[in-house]
Amino acid sequence: MTAVTTLTVAAFGVTACSSSSGGSNATGAVAGCTGNSTGVTKTGIKLGVLTVESGAAAQTFDGFQQGIQARIDAQNAQGGVNGRKLSIVTADDADSGSQQVTSGEALVQNDGAFGVMAGTAVDTVFPYFQQNDVPVTGLATFSPYGSDNNVFGITGAYLGNLTPTVIPSYLKEHGITSVAVLAHDDPGSIGTQQAVIRAAKSLGMTVPYAPESIPLGAFDATSVALALKQSGAQAVVAPLLASSSVSIAQAVKAQSVTGLKDQVYYSTYDPNVLHQADGALNGTIADATSGAKPLQLSDPAVKQYLSTMQQYGESAHANETYAAIGYLAAGLFIHGLQLAGNCLTRQNFVTTLRNSSGWDANGLAYYSVNFKPGLTPDGNPSPCQWFLNIENGQFVPEAKASCSQVEK
Amino acid sequence: MWQYLIAGLATGGIYAIFSMSIVVTYNASRVFNFAQAGIAFALAYLFYELNTVDHLSAPVSFVLVVLVIAPLLGLALWWLLLGRLAEQPTVVKIAATIGLQVALSGAVLVAFGHQEIASVHGLISSPRELFRIAGVNISNEQFLVVTVALAIGVLGAVILYGTPAGLVVRGSVDSPLMSVLVGTSPRRVAACVWMAGTAIAGIAGILVMPQIGLNSTDFAQFMAASLAGVVIGRLTNVWLAFAGAILVGVAQSVIIPYLPSTGLLASAVQPSLPFVFMVLAMLFHLRSRHVREEAMAREVASVASKVQQRLATQAALLRSKDGSWDRYAGWVVLAVVLVAAPFVLSGSWLGTVVAGLAFAVVFLSNRAVTGEAGIINLCQVTLAGIGAVAVGQLSTVYHVPVLLAVLLSAVVGGIAGIVIGLLCLPLGQLYAAITTFAIALLADQSLFVYSNFSNFDSGVIVSRPAIGSLTFSSNVSFYILLLVILAVLCFLLYRLRRSMTGLVFASLRSGRSRAETFGFKINTARMAAFVLGAAIAALGGALIATDQLVAYPAQFDAVTGLTWFAVAVAQGPGSMGGAIVAGISLSVLPQVFSIFLPARLGDVPTVLFGLAAIMLVNNPRGVNPALRAQARQLARLTERKWRAGKSAAGTGPDEAPRAAGQQEPTATTRAWFR
């Protein structure tokens, strides 16, 4: 058979053997196991890290790789997983949908990564990962975390159209009866906004102002502050970018919107943002979105995280939100590898982890995740959030996470 | 109502200061600077570094940036690029400034890193309430922005239209030759203009920084929105532009109480308003001859510049028969590379080239739109996005077979092309470019965020196509399918140039009035080319979606489209081989940098793409035609030497003079590329 014929036959899948690419025999590492064990050898496991290292959005993901590296180093120091040392290879998607496809495919095909830990703003390569049974762990910010069997969220499943009542419940405890909910002209932001509105109304609260067109990024928010003032809302919930949140907090102060008792801003639990805001965020409430307990707590798991980050030379990144996310994503992957045991194939990893429950990253995560199918095929979204008050330029965490329900 | 009106003045002031910086610079140079946002961002970042990082006082930092660094940067840009734009075709002016914008935004990220500055102090270290109108607290920062925007507009108008210096500037722009005759150096005047224009961009950047933060994307977005004022002022009228910019800001604020609570109108109306104003202003201005034909600043006489001479020489070389084998040589090299790729490349590297071929299909649309009809289309990326959305909806939601859905996506793109073409084709090249850019921005804010299309920002899953039992699921099979599609498209476009319609386009490129004299149906031909280009772009977008297995509309945004435009035009908008090279480089180069070089250099490909477009100033036809012309020049010299050798040996009659009609390329041949 000539090279061209071989290529053509393989290409169009007209022979029975052509679909076996990437099978366990591709590496020969896991004898007696059926399935794909790409990236697995007798002594090691290669894992991929897909993140944003270039482009204007790269700063958001600072620390993701360092958090993963520290967790992997710590695991290797304990002998790895079932005698296999872990190694990572990183790919940059440049915050581009098309670049993510090529970078993600490169991790799997060229670098031979067994699975991927993802910290990205787009999810275009996830269909490819699903097609090839590539296990993925990360923050549940995209719909594949609620639909794809091979994708696992560190805070549980993706929220989608479900309704979490935690924020309205938290506000109700503060005596709030009317809440304004802001959103960007962005489907993810609007989806969260609508979920909060549904939950608020289900708890008997009114929603007098709910714009869906807050500009992405910093802007002059005088008009928004005036609208908040005129609406008479007692609280504002803002699932927005940090820079937009800071603009609104500044305008609320400048226009003396005194009727607002509580202001809950997503994405502001970041020391850099707090520093840049120069006091504008004082009196507002942040949310520990990473799923890890706030680092300001005196908690054994938090101390362990900070000490690991310091021990492996990543302490400069420890406070970054995505460092904790990376640490948890690596921890979840290690947990999956341990569950899969010696017969380490992608299929076995996915099946065993999907049937597991009660993972809380040894106490670092404030919600114990159940990966079995529930409200979504990928389990339930987290019903908990840990709020932090911002006082005098400092994060002051609540004593415990606030938990409520997630409703259909 | 009054509260919102007053509040809208603050946003309007930001738009106004950007608008003023563009209008004043355009008045003084007749170059529409798409890079104004990039320049403003770079200078604002420098101010931040000096003021916040190096702890220089705000006034000292301001003086250093605006009066020292900005003029030097302006002088450097004039020397390297902007000073050579005045005599260039419109497409080169637009491509070069877009290239500069793309390169600058990437270069700032490479130089200063990725730190996003969400909140930063500008000239005023402690913003405070200055006064209160209609219940709105106005800060000293907001007041300063509106005041300085007005001052720039007034001073610019007074200097340009009321002083001898302004007369010199306008004279140098409108008629460099006449300026020379009265003892003025147009080059020196242009250098001063660009130094001043860059300083104005710096002032704008530093003043708006506290309001919009330090993020290159945000700067580009605000600059894009401020184009509404520029278009309302027909690029030149300072007063109209100022009023238009303020009007847009106020309208965005006043509309807030009237917006519905949910749905597309709730989310899309407010951010879309600047672009709706732009399109409406363009429709209103359609009656103006200036907008339709760009008849301003026509020279009564000119001396051919070096670039024009080079362009004419290239045109003549490419027309002559000597060395015409080069076109086949180029295709043979490309064919060898493309055939070898599946055998040489393994794993995802082939996947990267496959993605590049899908981009190449999109870029082939330039051949019809810009290469044939001479239309500058900055919403090519939107048409590709429409193709991607269409294939996602048709194949996944309506269960149309994928291959048929891909083909139907091209039809959908063609229909969109008719709508856009009806609006843009009556316009001159520059106005058409601005309007297509506005349409791309409008699609970002309204069409691509529609929940059914974006699927909560995850896109709609798309399968790879199949014909019966023949599947194209592997990279190799999909690669072969793309090669076939590219070959068919190239053949069609090749035949188009040699058809009667192709002759109409050739005639149109050499002069619209000339073509009209022949009685050609110019508008029909231009519309046909635009619709064909739109269909090809949509087909490319559908193929990108099927390659990625997901139709993800957010990736087809207007700012990305500028990079696509820079990459594609740099290779030559009429070159089909260039389109394929451009597509592959757009996919492969970032991957090479990502894998083999440190992460901090990840933005270098963006800089390179921008620089490639800037290089059009030296080779207005693009890299590929320039290479072909050089190959023909070489072939000609070799052939002459060979003939001389034969003549000296007395072995043949070839030393006879050139046959009648076989002209030497001359510098007098005017460029066809307009």
Side-chain angles (χ1 to χ4, degrees):
Chain A
M1 196 180 279
T2 66
V4 175
T5 317
T6 310
L7 189 71
T8 312
V9 168
F12 291 97
V14 287
T15 66
C17 329
S18 59
S19 60
S20 64
S21 61
S24 58
N25 289 335
T27 62
V30 190
C33 296
T34 54
N36 191 324
S37 56
T38 299
V40 181
T41 66
K42 286 176 182 170
T43 55
I45 305 167
K46 189 185 279 185
L47 303 176
V49 177
L50 183 62
T51 187
V52 187
E53 292 183 320
S54 58
Q59 190 205 356
T60 306
F61 301 90
D62 279 352
F64 184 67
Q65 192 198 347
Q66 289 80 5
I68 290 172
Q69 189 68 60
R71 182 67 185 86
I72 296 284
D73 288 346
Q75 191 65 31
N76 283 339
Q78 293 171 20
V81 178
N82 296 324
R84 295 185 176 104
K85 293 289 176 74
L86 308 176
S87 62
I88 61 170
V89 56
T90 303
D92 171 24
D93 78 358
D95 196 26
S96 148
S98 52
Q99 175 69 20
Q100 187 180 84
V101 174
T102 49
S103 298
E105 287 185 10
L107 275 180
V108 175
Q109 294 177 14
N110 289 3
D111 301 318
F114 174 78
V116 172
M117 293 160 279
T120 61
V122 295
D123 63 346
T124 47
V125 76
F126 279 63
Y128 170 80
F129 288 154
Q130 186 188 26
Q131 209 171 57
N132 291 278
D133 293 323
V134 178
V136 180
T137 62
L139 191 63
T141 47
F142 305 112
S143 62
Y145 286 92
S147 59
D148 296 3
N149 194 41
N150 60 313
V151 179
F152 300 87
I154 55 173
T155 54
Y158 175 66
L159 202 55
N161 287 322
L162 300 169
T163 303
T165 57
V166 57
I167 289 183
S169 300
Y170 174 78
L171 294 175
K172 200 169 182 180
E173 284 173 14
H174 291 198
I176 304 290
T177 56
S178 70
V179 58
V181 193
L182 317 180
H184 293 301
D185 180 16
D186 168 87
S189 180
I190 291 173
T192 308
Q193 179 203 38
Q194 294 305 317
V196 173
I197 291 172
R198 284 195 302 273
K201 287 182 176 173
S202 74
L203 293 174
M205 300 165 88
T206 59
V207 183
Y209 181 50
E212 298 179 354
S213 53
I214 302 297
L216 287 156
F219 70 111
D220 189 301
T222 308
S223 303
V224 176
L226 288 174
L228 283 169
K229 199 174 188 176
Q230 290 196 343
S231 73
Q234 296 170 311
V236 60
V237 176
L240 307 172
L241 293 179
S243 47
S244 309
S245 299
V246 172
S247 294
I248 291 169
Q250 281 171 338
V252 163
K253 273 196 167 51
Q255 298 304 321
S256 310
V257 190
T258 49
L260 286 177
K261 290 181 188 170
D262 281 351
Q263 300 176 56
V264 182
Y265 294 109
Y266 287 49
S267 322
T268 53
Y269 181 42
D270 181 329
N272 288 329
V273 172
L274 193 59
H275 173 68
Q276 287 172 20
D278 197 20
L281 290 171
N282 284 340
T284 67
I285 298 165
D287 157 40
T289 47
S290 69
K293 289 173 180 169
L295 303 187
Q296 290 74 16
L297 289 175
S298 179
D299 180 275
V302 170
K303 285 180 182 168
Q304 175 66 42
Y305 164 74
L306 292 172
S307 125
T308 305
M309 289 297 282
Q310 187 172 22
Q311 187 179 351
Y312 295 101
E314 308 292 2
S315 56
H317 295 278
N319 285 330
E320 288 162 350
T321 302
Y322 261 83
I325 292 172
Y327 191 90
L328 289 176
L332 176 56
F333 215 107
I334 290 166
H335 177 63
L337 293 171
Q338 287 166 336
L339 287 179
N342 277 324
C343 192
L344 187 54
T345 64
R346 285 176 179 165
Q347 291 77 9
N348 194 20
F349 178 102
V350 169
T351 307
T352 50
L353 187 55
R354 180 58 62 213
N355 289 319
S356 71
S357 59
W359 177 79
D360 67 355
N362 298 322
L364 181 61
Y366 56 77
Y367 169 63
S368 179
V369 184
N370 177 1
F371 298 104
K372 294 174 184 172
L375 288 170
T376 80
D378 285 4
N380 295 342
S382 168
C384 301
Q385 282 179 278
W386 202 309
F387 297 105
L388 303 96
N389 297 295
I390 299 177
E391 298 170 4
N392 301 319
Q394 302 289 325
F395 291 110
V396 181
E398 299 271 2
K400 60 183 176 62
S402 300
C403 295
S404 187
Q405 296 165 356
V406 177
E407 296 168 356
K408 274 209 167 179
Chain B
M1 171 71 179
W2 285 106
Q3 283 189 328
Y4 288 105
L5 194 149
I6 300 296
L9 288 175
T11 305
I14 296 174
Y15 293 152
I17 201 163
F18 277 134
S19 298
M20 289 300 99
S21 70
I22 293 174
V23 169
V24 169
T25 315
Y26 182 79
N27 268 324
S29 66
R30 290 291 181 269
V31 173
F32 189 88
N33 192 1
F34 278 90
Q36 203 78 350
I39 294 172
F41 175 67
L43 291 169
Y45 215 116
L46 266 174
F47 174 87
Y48 168 79
E49 286 284 322
L50 293 172
N51 180 222
T52 308
V53 180
D54 297 334
H55 304 294
L56 290 179
S57 70
V60 171
S61 305
F62 184 81
V63 167
L64 269 177
V65 171
V66 173
L67 297 183
V68 180
I69 297 171
L72 287 175
L73 177 67
L75 188 64
L77 288 174
W78 165 82
W79 184 63
L80 291 169
L81 169 68
L82 300 168
R84 288 187 274 170
L85 285 182
E87 294 169 343
Q88 298 280 6
T90 307
V91 68
V92 176
K93 286 181 184 172
I94 291 174
T97 55
I98 285 176
L100 182 60
Q101 165 67 23
V102 171
L104 272 176
S105 57
V108 170
L109 289 175
V110 172
F112 297 115
H114 299 105
Q115 192 187 9
E116 182 191 0
I117 316 294
S119 178
V120 60
H121 291 308
L123 265 178
I124 296 171
S125 56
S126 53
R128 60 183 170 79
E129 180 190 333
L130 196 64
F131 52 83
R132 187 177 173 86
I133 310 175
V136 183
N137 300 332
I138 302 295
S139 74
N140 44 5
E141 267 180 346
Q142 291 168 323
F143 183 72
L144 188 67
V145 168
V146 178
T147 311
V148 173
L150 190 59
I152 289 173
V154 171
L155 277 176
V158 167
I159 291 172
L160 273 174
Y161 296 101
T163 64
L167 185 64
V168 169
V169 169
R170 285 185 292 128
S172 299
V173 172
D174 289 341
S175 177
L177 186 62
M178 296 306 287
S179 296
V180 170
L181 292 177
V182 295
T184 308
S185 166
R187 284 176 56 78
R188 280 187 196 163
V189 173
C192 292
V193 164
W194 282 110
M195 289 165 77
T198 310
I200 293 172
I203 294 171
I206 292 167
L207 285 179
V208 302
M209 190 171 63
Q211 265 83 34
I212 68 173
L214 266 178
N215 178 299
S216 60
T217 310
D218 292 346
F219 262 68
Q221 294 285 356
F222 267 91
M223 185 67 82
S226 71
L227 290 183
V230 178
V231 170
I232 289 169
R234 288 196 305 180
L235 311 193
T236 51
N237 190 313
V238 170
W239 308 111
L240 271 180
F242 182 82
I246 295 286
L247 174 71
V248 172
V250 168
Q252 279 188 304
S253 178
V254 167
I255 202 172
I256 286 177
Y258 306 105
L259 289 172
S261 54
T262 55
L264 193 61
L265 286 179
S267 60
V269 167
Q270 200 191 8
S272 301
L273 267 182
F275 316 118
V276 172
F277 270 96
M278 258 159 103
V279 172
L280 290 177
M282 204 61 84
L283 284 171
F284 183 77
H285 292 325
L286 261 180
R287 287 174 300 169
S288 161
R289 182 166 165 266
H290 155 55
V291 172
R292 279 183 281 119
E293 298 175 12
E294 291 168 66
M296 289 190 68
R298 283 279 163 84
E299 264 284 41
V300 289
S302 67
V303 177
S305 66
K306 282 182 181 174
V307 171
Q308 284 174 320
Q309 289 172 20
R310 193 182 306 154
L311 197 61
T313 308
Q314 275 183 14
L317 277 167
L318 291 173
R319 270 201 298 271
S320 77
K321 289 183 178 174
D322 294 341
S324 61
W325 49 264
D326 75 294
R327 76 180 61 185
Y328 306 110
W331 280 109
V332 167
V333 170
L334 195 57
V336 167
V337 169
L338 291 176
V339 168
F343 299 97
V344 177
L345 299 174
S346 60
S348 75
W349 281 111
L350 184 63
T352 306
V353 177
V354 166
L357 292 186
F359 286 131
V361 173
V362 178
F363 294 160
L364 268 182
S365 68
N366 282 328
R367 160 83 167 205
V369 178
T370 312
E372 296 292 356
I375 304 159
I376 300 167
N377 179 11
L378 295 182
C379 69
Q380 181 192 53
V381 70
T382 306
L383 291 160
I386 287 171
V389 165
V391 79
Q393 296 297 307
L394 288 169
S395 67
T396 306
V397 181
Y398 297 103
H399 308 294
V400 175
V402 177
L403 198 57
L404 180 60
V406 168
L407 297 175
L408 288 175
S409 300
V411 177
V412 174
I415 294 167
I418 293 173
V419 176
I420 297 169
L422 284 173
L423 177 64
C424 299
L425 295 189
L427 304 170
Q429 276 188 320
L430 175 57
Y431 281 93
I434 296 171
T435 309
T436 49
F437 187 52
I439 289 167
L441 291 160
L442 195 56
D444 289 355
Q445 304 290 349
S446 53
L447 184 66
F448 293 160
V449 292
Y450 181 51
S451 56
N452 285 10
F453 299 161
S454 67
N455 189 25
F456 292 98
D457 247 2
S458 288
V460 175
I461 302 290
V462 182
S463 304
R464 287 274 174 88
I467 304 172
S469 60
L470 199 65
T471 62
F472 297 93
S473 52
S474 73
N475 276 342
V476 177
S477 58
F478 197 61
Y479 178 86
I480 293 167
L481 177 67
L482 282 173
L483 281 186
V484 171
I485 291 171
L486 275 171
V488 170
L489 286 176
C490 287
F491 178 75
L492 286 176
L493 290 168
Y494 172 82
R495 292 305 308 162
L496 175 68
R497 181 159 283 186
R498 275 142 191 84
S499 68
M500 193 58 209
T501 313
L503 282 175
V504 175
F505 289 135
S507 162
L508 189 59
R509 286 194 298 272
S510 69
R512 187 169 179 142
S513 342
R514 212 172 303 168
E516 280 171 346
T517 312
F518 288 131
F520 292 138
K521 291 180 179 172
I522 293 170
N523 292 334
T524 312
R526 275 162 58 87
M527 178 59 95
F530 193 81
V531 172
L532 176 65
I536 294 173
L539 177 69
L543 290 168
I544 289 171
T546 47
D547 169 46
Q548 294 175 176
L549 304 172
V550 61
Y552 182 70
Q555 78 184 91
F556 300 96
D557 65 281
V559 176
T560 300
L562 293 184
T563 307
W564 284 21
F565 181 79
V567 174
V569 173
Q571 292 291 331
S575 166
M576 294 190 289
I580 297 172
V581 172
I584 292 173
S585 31
L586 183 64
S587 178
V588 170
L589 205 57
Q591 188 70 350
V592 168
F593 271 75
S594 165
I595 290 176
F596 297 112
L597 293 166
R600 63 188 166 78
L601 298 179
D603 292 295
V604 172
T606 310
V607 179
L608 295 178
F609 293 145
L611 290 176
I614 290 171
M615 292 308 289
L616 273 179
V617 172
N618 287 331
N619 287 305
R621 283 166 176 273
V623 174
N624 202 33
L627 284 175
R628 281 182 56 201
Q630 282 178 358
R632 287 198 181 188
Q633 183 80 25
L634 191 64
R636 175 184 291 266
L637 288 174
T638 313
E639 191 180 333
R640 280 184 184 172
K641 279 185 183 171
W642 178 74
R643 280 179 179 160
K646 281 182 76 175
S647 171
T651 53
D654 290 349
E655 61 277 16
R658 282 185 164 276
Q662 199 175 353
Q663 293 176 341
E664 283 286 331
T666 65
T668 55
T669 317
R670 302 302 285 175
W672 58 268
F673 191 89
R674 297 184 181 193

